[in-house]
Amino acid sequence: MSHYDPQRRKAADGLVGRGEELALVRSFLDGSAGEGGSFLLVGEPGVGKTVLLDCAAEAALKAGTRVLRGAGAEFEADVSYSGLHQLLLPLEPEFGTLGPVQHSALSVVLGFGAGPPPDRPAVSEAVLALLRLTAARRPSLVIVDDVQWLDRASAGVLGFVARRLAGSHVGFLSASRPGTEGYFERAGLTEHELRPLDDEAATDLLQARFPDLVPRDRLRLVAEAQGNPLALLELAAEAGGLQPVAAPGAPSIVSPVRRLQTLFASRVAELPAPTGRLLLRAALAATGDPRILQSTGHGEPGPGDLAPAERAGLVRLDEHTRRVVFVHPLIRSAVVKRSTSNERRAAHRTLARLLEDQPERRAWHLAEASLEPDEQVAALLAEIARRVLQRGDAVGAVAALLRAAELSPSGADRSRRLAEAAYIGADVTGELRSTPQLLAAAHAADPGHNEALHAAVAASYMLLSGEGDIDTAHRLLVGALEAFPVRDNACDRVLTEAFQTLLLVCFYGGRAELWDAFYTAVERFASHVVLMSLCGDTYCDPVRTAGAALDSLDRLIDASDKEADPARIIWLGTAGIHVDRLPGLRTALWRVVRDGRQGGAVASAISALLLLGFDAFVTGRWEEAQQLVDEGVGLCETHGYELYALPGRYIRALLAAGRGDFEAVDALTDDFTRWAAPRGIRTAQMYAAHARALAALGRGDYEEAYQQTTAISPAGSFPYRVAIAVWVPMDLVEAAVGSNGHTEANAHVTAMREAGVAALSPRLALLSAGSAAMAASGSAATALFEEALAVPGADSWTFELARVRLAYGEHLRRTRAITASRVQLGAALDAFRRMGARPWATRAENELRATGRTRSRGGELGPDALTSRERQIAVLAASGLSNKQIGERLRLSARTVGAHLRHIFGKLQVSSRAALRDALGPSAAGPSDEEGTPREPYEN
């Protein structure tokens, strides 16, 4: 956190090109002083967020408002409640105005007193009450810069507070970078995106600050800075206002942020060595504590060594607090990035000595300085974990215990700390708050053997569904597996659960290196985890490793009708999803669903519903897919299985993309990527890219589709350990062809052929042949399209087959084979209409019309145009039920019901619910109680 400095650049009257933003901020200040409220500025580094916050602070102080200010610090994320501590420190004398319970909660979490650990809601309510009480005497403004870097505990509290300030005389003004979602919940806050300056404003700024620049240099700087004010000024200063910063006519291919990072790194590199070491201390300390400038011995840097960095415009000393303040966060990052690991460890050791009176920071600095196991440091971290837990931050306690376990020389100590971390983590969130009791019972039945492993499995899901992250869960599981002994009578169940969980953590983490520990563990326990070994072959990197495992997988699937273990059925589905084996598991998966509906294992039922939903999507049964996914996601929301819900929300986004509901695609992908980003769930970004690519193809935006598909799989290659790449090869080729990237399209077709993708499944054979046909031309294309249509089992994959037929029909029309073209286009149109793939149907219809044939549009309007789900919703809405009531009846969200109603109104050509009954006619009779519940297709 950084502290407000009233001497920072006076910008209220000197900002260029920010008149609209200044007016918005001043309007917010006027309103919040009387009525309270929150406002979030979003923008890239250097675009001017902090300067606007400075203006707001200055204006508020002049108006007599109390200003509480801070900023998230990237290197303080593990220090529990550090953000809240510094923000509320000036209000400590007023804690006494709170009631006893709230006073105790704040005192405990901020380290001012002792008491029982409060939960997060209690702390949030206490902070809100404190701000309201103090603002009753004098309006207050809370300013928080870089909220994406707040520690988890502070971010949770401040996000709660920011949404509940109406009528409080408290304003909450914050700033964040786009694309770096932290744990600060911004949903519901008024946001304003700070855009780059236009060329006119950028020119005006340069003329004001560097009047001697010649026009040629000014134009070049404006082009290179791309509207980023900080980049504009820093690049101009670096050029001395005189010399060109790039060769004449050279294109600008580096973003302003990258240019700034390079520029700042070069300035840091020019500093004397002692200054560089001092600056590294300041960067790693994050808080700017004045003591970090002290010399720790002969030859060590001291306060006087900071001057070169000040003269270089990298840091300054706050004249009131004497804290070291970096002029911009990018400078802090540049200092750390250019340092070596040895230099960072040395800096951490020095900071641990200088900050001895701050036990938590000292312990973390010692941990960062340690390469080898060290019981003294491990014990310090374990003690810190207990203190953090007493403040109510279970996630912070888990993080400290995991690091303590890593640093524990003794296997017994390591196992004990892992178990303690897991027990704490299992109680973080969700319905599984009884997990510690269940684990205690398991421990009593098998003392000293599988306690840590049982706990690690439970805790990992709790962490990922709550406020934890992939890396924490991965470290917890890997550590517990390493501590678990290999023995002949090893508990297969707990081992299987641990491997299953680790497999999902690796997959959702989306980083190739996470899988290394999984395969090491599989090799160690090979005879106990045969199915998990098979999953590793087909689920991680199917293009490279699935081929050798398919025979074994197919044998297991053939015998699945007799499989009684729901968990084993689910993991067969997991092993089969990327190689299109789900159709062979439908009967077994429906058995798991029925068992769950009758009170069986909820988690298995959720997984079965989502696996069946994905199978229904890829085989073109979209209404059934929607029902299955809605039921599965609804169960996740009811029972707190947030991680399980992610693939369900992904399928929802794919369905919305296929149906042409592009607004829903944006909303769904934004929601789940925002949730996933701070948890390190990178696969969510690929899920979002897939859905956005499909939406872009539907609306004919091939450039966007190409960008999205290549974010998953670069053209001409299948990235290492990125399984989802097998779902988008034809999307990528179609996008490349549509954007005139024929070289890229052919490169990807070649990559598919060389990798042998077609051999993995009939669907992938269809995609491979269809892609080759799309990339070809003339008679070669015709032959390849015929080859694609002849793929055995191609008609099982309705959507992909229809897309191939559409592309074939387009090709035939272009080559004047009109009659043959009509056959393919007509078949594609019928398939798209049956599925409800509206944008694709429109495209096929337009192509068909271009052949001289027209089709009746009568079926696209009126009651007959409604899908079965739309008819259900229309009838219920006509009966007077609200969106929420309809959603509860059909296991849908109110938001989804609203989206359906918009389509229903269009098809029925009505504008109100009152007109629905007349528009529906006889079909407006009420639905049976059973409607809306998906059933197995084979049941009567």
Side-chain angles (χ1 to χ4, degrees), residues 400-730:
L401 281 166
L402 286 178
R403 185 63 175 134
E406 289 177 350
L407 292 173
S408 300
S410 162
D413 288 335
R414 184 182 188 194
S415 180
R416 173 172 51 82
R417 285 162 180 157
L418 281 169
E420 189 178 354
Y423 273 103
I424 294 168
D427 199 26
V428 171
T429 186
E431 283 192 350
L432 302 182
R433 291 187 178 275
S434 60
T435 298
Q437 288 77 22
L438 296 175
L439 295 174
H443 173 56
D446 187 13
H449 288 289
N450 57 19
E451 173 187 7
L453 201 54
H454 268 300
V457 173
S460 296
Y461 270 111
M462 290 292 85
L463 286 168
L464 291 173
S465 291
E467 297 174 354
D469 56 76
I470 284 288
D471 287 339
T472 300
H474 187 267
R475 289 166 61 197
L476 180 58
L477 287 163
V478 170
L481 281 168
E482 287 176 350
F484 192 75
V486 180
R487 55 186 189 275
D488 291 340
N489 63 340
C491 176
D492 288 341
R493 170 64 67 178
V494 68
L495 269 178
T496 299
E497 289 174 354
F499 274 98
Q500 290 167 351
T501 309
L502 182 57
L503 180 108
L504 290 183
V505 166
C506 294
F507 175 76
Y508 286 122
R511 305 200 316 270
E513 65 272 16
L514 293 175
W515 287 97
D516 293 337
F518 174 84
Y519 288 115
T520 298
V522 164
E523 185 176 351
R524 183 165 173 251
F525 291 97
S527 62
H528 301 285
V529 288
V530 176
L531 180 53
M532 283 301 100
S533 178
L534 189 64
C535 280
D537 290 336
T538 61
Y539 193 63
C540 167
D541 196 358
V543 171
R544 292 173 178 82
T545 59
L550 291 180
D551 287 344
S552 298
L553 178 61
D554 288 337
R555 284 195 296 272
L556 291 172
I557 290 175
D558 288 343
S560 64
D561 287 352
K562 300 177 182 178
E563 179 59 62
D565 184 351
R568 190 170 173 84
I569 293 169
I570 295 305
W571 289 100
L572 281 172
T574 302
I577 190 169
H578 292 139
V579 287
D580 304 306
R581 262 49 180 187
L582 291 180
L585 281 163
R586 287 174 188 161
T587 300
L589 288 168
W590 272 110
R591 197 161 63 246
V592 177
V593 171
R594 288 197 301 271
D595 180 62
R597 287 173 177 170
Q598 296 167 8
V602 172
S604 293
I606 290 170
S607 295
L609 285 164
L610 298 183
L611 287 167
L612 286 166
F614 186 79
D615 173 54
F617 171 75
V618 296
T619 53
R621 297 173 287 117
W622 287 5
E623 280 298 312
E624 182 184 346
Q626 189 74 59
Q627 293 179 47
L628 290 162
V629 171
D630 286 344
E631 182 179 355
V633 173
L635 288 171
C636 292
E637 293 169 350
T638 298
H639 296 279
Y641 289 97
E642 285 293 323
L643 184 62
Y644 278 6
L646 176 59
R649 292 177 176 134
Y650 162 52
I651 302 169
R652 278 179 169 174
L654 290 175
L655 286 164
R659 289 166 169 163
D661 191 349
F662 304 133
E663 289 185 5
V665 174
D666 290 340
L668 286 163
T669 54
D670 286 349
D671 283 348
F672 70 65
T673 53
R674 183 177 292 122
W675 175 83
R679 292 163 176 81
I681 302 175
R682 296 187 182 180
T683 294
Q685 298 171 4
M686 288 180 271
Y687 281 169
H690 185 190
R692 291 167 182 163
L694 191 59
L697 287 171
R699 60 177 182 266
D701 187 348
Y702 295 107
E703 293 282 355
E704 171 68 12
Y706 184 73
Q707 290 180 13
Q708 296 292 346
T709 52
T710 53
I712 299 170
S713 178
S717 68
F718 287 88
Y720 184 52
R721 292 177 176 175
V722 177
I724 194 175
V726 300
W727 289 344
V728 297
M730 194 167 76

Side-chain angles (χ1 to χ4, degrees), residues 24 63 156 234 273 385 438 475 575 598 613 808 838 855 889 913 925:
L24 284 172
E234 294 292 344
L438 296 175
R475 289 166 61 197
Q598 296 167 8
Y808 190 15
R838 285 184 290 273
R855 288 285 187 94
R889 178 79 66 91
R913 299 166 94 96

Side-chain angles (χ1 to χ4, degrees), residues 117-161:
D119 58 20
R120 184 70 53 76
V123 177
S124 301
E125 293 287 356
V127 173
L128 182 60
L130 177 66
L131 292 174
R132 286 180 174 273
L133 283 171
T134 57
R137 296 186 293 276
R138 176 186 173 191
S140 298
L141 176 66
V142 177
I143 297 179
V144 186
D145 203 353
D146 284 325
V147 293
Q148 77 277 357
W149 285 339
L150 285 169
D151 63 276
R152 290 183 183 89
S154 298
V157 171
L158 292 175
F160 173 92
V161 169

Side-chain angles (χ1 to χ4, degrees), residues 786-854:
E786 289 294 335
E787 180 183 327
L789 298 182
V791 167
D795 56 353
S796 296
W797 314 100
T798 310
F799 184 47
E800 277 91 351
L801 179 61
R803 287 173 60 188
V804 172
R805 287 188 181 277
L806 173 58
Y808 190 15
E810 292 170 336
H811 163 73
L812 290 170
R813 185 182 67 79
R814 288 193 301 269
T815 58
R816 308 298 185 185
I818 300 301
T819 301
S821 169
R822 288 171 178 167
V823 172
Q824 299 302 329
L825 293 173
L829 177 58
D830 290 343
F832 290 139
R833 281 179 171 171
R834 284 196 303 273
M835 285 182 290
R838 285 184 290 273
W840 307 87
T842 299
R843 181 173 148 192
E845 188 175 27
N846 290 339
E847 286 288 331
L848 194 61
R849 185 178 294 111
T851 70
R853 173 176 291 182
T854 59

Side-chain angles (χ1 to χ4, degrees), residues 271-357:
L271 296 174
T275 304
R277 295 203 299 275
L278 203 60
L279 220 54
L280 182 57
R281 275 191 218 166
L284 296 175
T287 61
D289 191 308
R291 288 172 298 176
I292 66 175
L293 299 178
Q294 296 175 11
S295 175
T296 57
H298 180 69
E300 285 297 304
D305 291 304
L306 193 65
E310 292 180 276
R311 286 193 292 270
L314 301 172
V315 295
R316 58 184 174 78
L317 275 181
D318 185 302
E319 63 183 43
H320 296 285
T321 65
R322 306 308 298 165
R323 290 179 180 268
V324 179
V325 179
F326 283 88
V327 172
H328 195 274
L330 287 176
I331 301 172
R332 184 192 302 275
S333 299
V335 170
V336 175
K337 285 179 180 177
R338 71 171 306 276
S339 63
T340 67
S341 57
N342 284 336
E343 288 169 341
R344 289 193 294 274
R345 284 193 296 273
H348 280 299
R349 281 193 294 272
T350 301
L351 287 169
R353 292 196 295 271
L354 293 171
L355 301 177
E356 287 198 36
D357 63 333

Side-chain angles (χ1 to χ4, degrees), residues 204-292:
D204 290 344
L205 179 59
L206 274 183
Q207 287 177 327
R209 298 294 181 90
F210 298 91
D212 296 330
L213 274 173
V214 298
R216 183 185 61 182
D217 291 340
R218 188 160 51 241
L219 285 172
R220 186 176 295 110
L221 286 164
V222 168
E224 293 208 358
Q226 299 176 36
N228 186 295
L230 181 62
L232 192 69
L233 297 176
E234 294 292 344
L235 291 171
E238 191 73 7
L242 297 173
Q243 298 299 320
V245 295
S252 177
I253 60 173
V254 181
S255 72
V257 173
R258 292 282 301 278
R259 290 293 302 271
L260 282 171
Q261 289 171 330
T262 301
L263 189 152
F264 290 143
S266 68
R267 289 187 189 171
V268 172
E270 293 171 358
L271 296 174
T275 304
R277 295 203 299 275
L278 203 60
L279 220 54
L280 182 57
R281 275 191 218 166
L284 296 175
T287 61
D289 191 308
R291 288 172 298 176
I292 66 175

Side-chain angles (χ1 to χ4, degrees), residues 859 862-871 874 903-904 907-908 920:
D864 291 341
L866 299 180
T867 66
S868 59
R869 171 50 59 90
E870 287 172 341
R871 188 180 305 280
H903 295 304
I904 291 165
K907 289 182 179 181
L908 297 181
L920 288 168

